[in-house]
Amino acid sequence: MSGSSSSGRSYMGGLSISDEPEECMEIKGSVRVVSPTMTYFSTVLINTTLEVVLSDAIVVLLNHETGDEVGSLNPSNITKLKECLEQGYKYEANIYNKDGASIDVQLTCIGKK
Amino acid sequence: MIHVIGGFYNELCLYPQWHYNFGSGARAAAAIAEFGDKICLHSYVHKNKEQEFEYFSKLYKIDSKMIQSSEIINFEYYHSLSKPNIYTLNTPIIKQETYSLNEDIIICYGMMEADNPILNADYVIFDPQSESSPSMIFENDSNINHLAVILNVEEAKRFTKQDNIDNIAKYLFEHSDILDVLILKDGPFGAHLFTKDNGYSHIDSYETNNIFKIGSGDIFVAVFSYLWAKDKLTPFEAAQKASLATAYYCNTKILPIGKEMLYSDELNFSKIKIHKEKFNKTIYLAGPFFSMADRWLIEEAKVQLEKFGANVFSPLHEVGFGEASFVAKEDLTGLDNADILYAVLNNYDPGTVFEIGYAISKKIPVVIFIENETAINMTMFEGSGCMIENDFSSSVYKVIWESSK
């Protein structure tokens, strides 16, 4: 079921991860939001983009407009994602699915500071 | 504090897409992390997974105890009802030293990395987590005042070599002086609760819109454990709430679970009151079988439905290929005698579309499994009352539930 292509990138599951040097740029995929703030997510529109930052060693999502934390992330490659955030890579999370408290975001790297 | 001993594993599922670090122990700890009492998770963890384990603990605000392991274990599922392929670093797996723990309340899941731990506790809730060769906590030198064992019916059959739930319960209570509560989980049919004083109750399951089965049993065990051992609910009350919590998880995949939600009207799932022993429905399995992918899906659907005790009339298996007049007559006779039609409608196979129309004209309920559907193509199916699902596991459960209504 799982497999790797010759480029060294595995495609199994939610996140795509490369083994190559630019791997921080390559972290992307669908991730479920942990402990979403429902007062925010009940009204926010699909396709709204959230900022992804480290806060007290946890990867959290920030409301772009207010700067408030609205949830956390725990993808399978969380260690790598944290490393990349610490190195200055910037990520965005686009809300693409919400069903009650089930919120899914599409994570993409948007460059380095 | 409630202590959870159990696996911290990498889980992957293709349909629906799922790629997270959980495992039974971690999922259970996360499920009840906000119930009130502090949770401590004890797991075997490989050095390469230590940071992920620490992150998990911090994210869900639980305490944790890492036990060194030389294994990384990956569970890979095709869909959430399928048996996982299990990949480990070492073959055979290197067993670690047996763990021991002395605490008031311990939730313990069987793990691949070691034999069952030695426990000294007032309350232990144990889930052996092994379909092939389960072993019981009361078989080792543990010293336990109150014990509940929770496992799947099929797992229990293998362990006891008994063929029905009453004999399973009799066998287990005869083989353990400390067993207070036995719960046998039975998928879409709910669960069976036995108590030491010969009590029996059926625990109803709940009908949900989505069915994500990976780890649902872990949620049931975790919530039951907290409510029975900590909050001192009766086993029946605790199991009912645990069933409700499990439905919530299967529907949403959301953790932690809010305890207050279990006591409110927020979760308004309908109860499913069917017993597997009385389930005697015939399901007509329609779908194309003209490519390897088609065939695989039909075989998989048949296996999953039969696992729940359904009689499956599959035109592929019952009639096969042949002259059109013969095949059509035999297929439609099979459909006339069915309680429900389960249609795999990928690519809108003409034969399947015909069978759906025929079933509707005969007032036979229809559940459709279709991926990548478009609203315009679904108009007639939706308008004529078909139940339409794009998740395989959810569609299988709905066929079982709908056929019982």
Side-chain angles (χ1 to χ4, degrees):
Chain A
M1 285 169 55
S2 70
S4 296
S5 69
S6 56
S7 68
R9 183 181 301 170
S10 70
Y11 289 96
M12 179 68 201
L15 288 182
S16 168
I17 309 151
S18 167
D19 300 328
E20 293 168 357
E22 65 274 17
E23 56 193 340
C24 288
M25 293 294 291
E26 297 290 326
I27 293 178
K28 57 189 169 188
S30 163
V31 190
R32 176 139 297 201
V33 179
V34 178
S35 302
T37 303
M38 287 317 297
T39 48
Y40 173 74
F41 281 105
S42 59
T43 55
V44 73
L45 297 174
I46 293 285
N47 282 328
T48 299
T49 300
L50 304 169
E51 198 176 341
V52 181
V53 298
L54 269 177
S55 172
D56 192 21
I58 297 293
V59 178
V60 300
L61 301 172
L62 299 184
N63 176 342
H64 260 308
E65 291 172 8
T66 64
D68 293 336
E69 283 187 24
V70 295
S72 317
L73 297 181
N74 185 26
S76 58
N77 61 343
I78 186 65
T79 305
K80 188 71 216 168
L81 177 59
K82 278 179 67 181
E83 278 175 23
C84 293
L85 283 164
E86 282 162 357
Q87 287 169 24
Y89 286 90
K90 294 192 72 170
Y91 295 86
E92 277 184 350
N94 189 50
I95 303 166
Y96 78 92
N97 178 50
K98 60 176 197 145
D99 179 9
S102 308
I103 314 288
D104 297 302
V105 294
Q106 184 75 28
L107 189 69
T108 47
C109 185
I110 54 170
K112 194 174 182 182
K113 283 176 191 166
Chain B
M1 182 177 279
I2 312 283
H3 293 262
V4 179
I5 304 176
F8 177 71
Y9 304 137
N10 191 24
E11 295 177 348
L12 305 101
C13 182
L14 283 180
Y15 298 97
Q17 198 178 73
W18 175 261
H19 189 185
Y20 293 98
N21 293 306
F22 270 111
S24 294
R27 182 180 284 102
I32 55 174
E34 294 179 356
F35 268 36
D37 211 0
K38 193 78 180 166
I39 308 297
C40 183
L41 172 62
H42 305 243
S43 295
Y44 289 92
V45 180
H46 188 275
K47 59 179 176 6
N48 291 356
K49 300 284 282 183
E50 283 178 5
Q51 288 184 50
E52 290 165 16
F53 186 71
E54 284 167 0
Y55 182 87
F56 186 94
S57 306
K58 195 171 171 64
L59 180 67
Y60 287 102
K61 300 179 179 67
I62 56 178
D63 289 352
S64 58
K65 173 91 194 298
M66 268 187 272
I67 316 160
Q68 284 293 324
S69 170
S70 46
E71 286 296 349
I72 294 178
I73 299 179
N74 299 287
F75 284 72
E76 295 190 1
Y77 302 80
Y78 223 94
H79 54 79
S80 79
L81 290 174
S82 63
K83 273 188 187 295
N85 292 315
I86 302 171
Y87 298 99
T88 57
L89 277 184
N90 307 289
T91 307
I93 196 165
I94 297 173
K95 286 267 186 176
Q96 310 298 312
E97 213 171 282
T98 302
Y99 193 56
S100 60
L101 190 62
N102 182 1
E103 296 290 350
D104 283 345
I105 299 173
I106 301 172
I107 304 169
C108 180
Y109 296 89
M111 285 182 285
M112 297 179 68
E113 298 96 326
D115 293 333
N116 291 328
I118 307 293
L119 306 177
N120 289 291
D122 193 18
Y123 281 85
V124 169
I125 301 86
F126 178 68
D127 178 348
Q129 291 278 307
S130 172
E131 290 233 353
S132 55
S133 55
S135 59
M136 287 293 164
I137 198 77
F138 53 73
E139 293 177 310
N140 67 19
D141 293 330
S142 290
N143 182 12
I144 300 162
N145 292 330
H146 304 284
L147 173 66
V149 169
I150 304 176
L151 69 174
N152 295 323
V153 171
E154 294 309 312
E155 199 179 5
K157 282 181 180 174
R158 286 194 195 90
F159 177 77
T160 61
K161 299 185 171 55
Q162 304 297 317
D163 60 358
N164 68 62
I165 57 168
D166 293 325
N167 289 341
I168 290 169
K170 188 165 178 278
Y171 178 97
L172 288 173
F173 280 106
E174 279 177 1
H175 282 74
S176 171
D177 294 335
I178 58 170
L179 182 60
D180 289 317
V181 178
L182 170 68
I183 299 177
L184 302 174
K185 295 176 292 180
D186 209 359
F189 304 99
H192 308 278
L193 168 71
F194 297 88
T195 51
K196 194 174 194 168
D197 55 3
N198 294 319
Y200 169 80
S201 305
H202 183 263
I203 306 300
D204 297 327
S205 61
Y206 291 87
E207 186 173 3
T208 55
N209 194 33
N210 307 305
I211 311 291
F212 181 73
K213 280 296 291 173
I214 296 173
S216 62
D218 307 332
I219 304 301
F220 184 94
V221 170
V223 173
F224 171 85
S225 301
Y226 195 102
L227 299 180
W228 178 59
K230 177 68 182 173
D231 289 357
K232 301 291 186 274
L233 264 58
T234 66
F236 179 67
E237 290 166 337
Q240 280 190 313
K241 296 290 185 200
S243 180
L244 188 59
T246 305
Y248 173 75
Y249 170 78
C250 287
N251 196 40
T252 63
K253 297 181 256 180
I254 291 174
L255 297 176
I257 287 169
K259 187 176 168 187
E260 69 290 346
M261 199 166 53
L262 305 177
Y263 292 90
S264 72
D265 298 331
E266 192 180 335
L267 302 180
N268 54 359
F269 305 125
S270 302
K271 276 188 176 176
I272 297 289
K273 293 180 179 294
I274 48 172
H275 293 238
K276 193 173 187 179
E277 288 72 20
K278 295 172 189 166
F279 182 74
N280 184 29
K281 301 293 182 182
T282 298
I283 296 164
Y284 186 97
L285 174 56
F289 41 84
F290 309 115
S291 70
M292 192 168 164
D294 288 346
R295 180 74 187 249
W296 183 90
L297 193 48
I298 292 294
E299 297 288 347
E300 188 65 8
K302 186 169 185 285
V303 165
Q304 294 300 334
L305 292 167
E306 287 178 340
K307 197 167 77 179
F308 295 130
N311 306 311
V312 177
F313 183 95
S314 161
L316 166 64
H317 297 87
E318 306 288 339
V319 182
F321 299 89
E323 280 195 8
S325 59
F326 169 78
V327 170
K329 182 171 173 292
E330 291 296 311
D331 285 2
L332 293 179
T333 301
L335 185 46
D336 283 332
N337 295 326
D339 296 292
I340 192 165
L341 169 66
Y342 178 46
V344 177
L345 192 55
N346 287 342
N347 299 322
Y348 303 97
D349 166 60
T352 308
V353 172
F354 179 90
E355 288 163 318
I356 292 171
Y358 184 88
I360 289 168
S361 74
K362 296 277 184 176
K363 300 197 182 329
I364 296 169
V366 177
V367 174
I368 293 174
F369 169 56
I370 183 166
E371 299 167 286
N372 306 318
E373 79 278 18
T374 55
I376 190 75
N377 284 345
M378 288 291 102
T379 304
M380 290 303 289
F381 303 111
E382 194 180 332
S384 54
C386 298
M387 187 170 276
I388 301 163
E389 287 297 326
N390 58 19
D391 173 68
F392 178 71
S393 304
S394 302
S395 70
V396 168
Y397 262 57
K398 289 191 178 177
V399 174
I400 300 292
W401 286 336
E402 283 302 308
S403 65
S404 304
K405 288 179 180 173

